[in-house]
Amino acid sequence: MKKIIIMFVLGLFAPQIIQAQGTIYVSNLGQASTGNNLVGNNSWYAADFITGTNVGGYALNSVQLAMTDASGDPTGFMAMLYSSISGAATFPGGSLATLNGSLNPVTAGTYTYTAPSNLTLSPNTVYFIVLTAGTAVANGAYGWSVTSTPSPGYNSYHWGGEIFFAHSSSGSSWNYTSGTYGQFAIDATAVPEPSCEILLGLGGLVFLWRRWKAKAV
């Protein structure tokens, strides 16, 4: 009976090579920059995006940020992924992860940041990219490039009929500022779901194991 069970399981699982359902790529990096928002420990900025419908969620591969030349001598740059909270409006909630990449993006360009490998984004969910730094803006600030035109897939919320960008002086209380979008790109891979055949196979395995155990008694 043990051999039969093993052969049954191997035969069921061997052909089941399940492919991911593609990637999501949200980007407005191709838009012309219209300026920047100054990032410091007293000037936090956040931009939102919404995930797709893949039931298994998404593995976050990378986040790209368009930065302008910094002013002064800033330090302690941080790029983070936040959850969202909704009420009368949707704002950043709590930090989910600190993104790994340059800690001092002082020169204009596009910088790539990665998330922890075990981080999975839920489907149909709003997340925020949040930037801050270790120095006050008056002593030096990083510049997050902004644009006035979003790209498809960039999920911005409306307040009073206008499109806004989230700002906070401390990272705990947020407000919207009008007319700009932080420039960034999201690259994520859809997490595959177990196939129906595998789920049936697991159920069959449990059934056969219970029958074998009952006979053994």
Side-chain angles (χ1 to χ4, degrees):
M1 179 59 73
K2 288 183 179 179
K3 291 183 178 180
I4 294 175
I5 292 175
I6 292 172
M7 291 176 65
F8 173 76
V9 173
L10 290 177
L12 190 65
F13 278 73
Q16 303 305 320
I17 302 174
I18 306 176
Q19 300 294 331
Q21 299 177 23
T23 60
I24 57 171
Y25 185 72
V26 176
S27 176
N28 61 357
L29 295 179
Q31 306 294 338
S33 176
T34 57
N36 62 26
N37 285 329
L38 299 180
V39 176
N41 64 10
N42 60 344
S43 182
W44 297 50
Y45 277 95
D48 64 313
F49 67 95
I50 189 167
T51 55
T53 59
N54 181 58
V55 175
Y58 298 85
L60 181 59
N61 300 322
S62 66
V63 174
Q64 290 183 297
L65 301 172
M67 306 295 291
T68 62
D69 289 332
S71 62
D73 188 23
T75 60
F77 180 81
M78 289 182 65
M80 296 168 285
L81 178 74
Y82 268 55
S83 61
S84 62
I85 53 174
S86 297
T90 300
F91 288 114
S95 176
L96 299 175
T98 297
L99 304 176
N100 301 312
S102 175
L103 300 178
N104 198 32
V106 295
T107 303
T110 300
Y111 294 80
T112 300
Y113 293 81
T114 58
S117 58
N118 61 346
L119 179 65
T120 300
L121 304 178
S122 299
N124 298 309
T125 302
V126 176
Y127 292 94
F128 281 87
I129 302 301
V130 176
L131 303 189
T132 187
T135 49
V137 168
N139 299 323
Y142 297 99
W144 189 355
S145 180
V146 298
T147 180
S148 60
T149 306
S151 66
Y154 185 87
N155 187 63
S156 288
Y157 286 83
H158 294 69
W159 185 270
E162 295 183 74
I163 298 173
F164 295 86
F165 196 45
H167 176 263
S168 173
S169 60
S170 62
S172 59
S173 178
W174 295 87
N175 293 291
Y176 285 122
T177 62
S178 178
T180 58
Y181 301 86
Q183 291 194 272
F184 70 96
I186 302 292
D187 186 285
T189 303
V191 176
E193 298 175 69
S195 70
C196 293
E197 289 86 353
I198 287 181
L199 293 176
L200 289 172
L202 291 174
L205 176 59
V206 172
F207 173 75
L208 290 174
W209 179 79
R210 286 182 174 175
R211 287 194 61 185
W212 172 80
K213 187 175 181 182
K215 289 183 179 181
V217 174

